[in-house]
Amino acid sequence: MADPADPAAPVDPAAPAALDALRSRFARAMAGAAAPGAAPGAAPDPAPYADNLLARWQEPQRRYHTLAHLTAVLDHVDALAEHADDVDAVRLAAWFHDAVYLPERSENEERSARLAERALPEAGVPAEKAAEVARLVRLTVGHAPAGDDRDGQVLCDADLAVLASPPSAYAAYTAAVREEYHFVPSEAFRAGRAAILRQLLDLPALFHTPHGRREWEATARHNLAGELEMLSLPDTPDV
């Protein structure tokens, strides 16, 4: 199986077939998260919930946190599934982790977690499972799961796997992030982005699963260091 951090030819995630595939993935995750012994068909139809989330992921203010990111994170979770204790909870957390996203706001993860806490019980997911999904979503604020938090490790690694992309894909990622923050002046953006990169590089490890550390850690650190060096170069003035 190809490493998802090294994507093949891009597929339009908003194409009808791709959207149908995402709906099916959501339905399977919801079925996996259902209460043990629940009768088939007892829960509400998951399709309206999937469509609500898909609409959120296609909002116009998004440039990086799009359907392509959602699909990539879900693919990374699948690649890391053996490291999870409850992979369907992790999949649902991937669906919700950036469901609320406004680039100028700082509480997106909290608002996304609260959305999961409201929507999942309504959709038939047991309250305890919904709370676990929300907990996982909140972990994506700092990407620092505990050493024994296997599900948190999988979600955080899946979310950060983009850092280990090949050069062209990493360049596209950084360009999309800049587009999302188009309202921030260049000098302020460069300073803020550089601070984030330094924080990441100062971590003892970017990835927590054995796969992530083995396959993604070195490449991610190389990409981060290269971006940080680029940010130190003189910039052209904003037009």
Side-chain angles (χ1 to χ4, degrees):
M1 180 178 179
D3 192 308
D6 186 11
V11 176
D12 180 4
L19 291 175
D20 285 344
L22 283 169
R23 292 185 184 98
S24 295
R25 295 175 83 165
F26 181 77
R28 288 194 296 271
M30 290 290 286
D45 182 359
Y49 297 91
D51 286 340
N52 178 275
L53 288 166
L54 290 171
R56 291 174 177 273
W57 283 94
Q58 295 179 85
E59 291 165 341
Q61 76 275 12
R62 298 170 182 257
R63 293 296 182 272
Y64 168 63
H65 295 88
T66 63
L67 284 178
H69 175 59
L70 169 62
T71 302
V73 173
L74 290 170
D75 289 345
H76 298 323
V77 170
D78 287 348
L80 298 171
E82 66 180 288
H83 302 296
D85 290 325
D86 186 346
V87 71
D88 286 311
V90 180
R91 289 179 176 125
L92 289 176
W95 274 92
F96 279 92
H97 83 285
D98 284 319
V100 178
Y101 187 77
L102 293 171
E104 68 275 14
R105 304 286 289 271
S106 62
E107 71 277 14
N108 291 311
E109 292 87 356
E110 178 60 29
R111 295 176 69 203
S112 296
R114 291 178 183 177
L115 176 66
E117 288 170 334
R118 295 193 305 271
L120 288 174
E122 180 183 291
V125 173
E128 182 177 345
K129 183 83 68 172
E132 171 63 4
V133 171
R135 182 191 72 82
L136 292 171
V137 170
R138 291 185 173 101
L139 276 180
T140 62
V141 175
H143 297 93
D148 60 351
D149 184 2
R150 283 165 50 89
D151 291 338
Q153 291 174 359
V154 168
L155 179 64
C156 290
D157 280 16
D159 195 26
L160 292 185
V162 64
L163 301 180
S165 297
S168 60
Y170 189 82
Y173 151 69
T174 59
V177 170
R178 180 65 182 107
E179 289 178 18
E180 277 191 343
Y181 289 89
H182 63 89
F183 53 88
V184 178
S186 180
E187 184 176 348
F189 176 82
R190 288 158 69 91
R193 179 70 179 174
I196 291 171
L197 297 179
R198 291 190 189 98
Q199 289 172 3
L200 289 171
L201 287 168
D202 285 344
L203 293 174
L206 293 165
F207 298 101
H208 305 273
T209 63
H211 180 96
R213 290 187 174 184
R214 182 179 66 249
E215 300 295 334
W216 300 336
E217 184 80 21
T219 301
R221 288 187 175 276
H222 176 78
N223 285 337
L224 292 171
E227 185 186 355
L228 185 59
E229 182 178 358
M230 289 292 295
L231 289 171
S232 69
L233 299 175
D235 192 20
T236 56
D238 287 339
V239 177

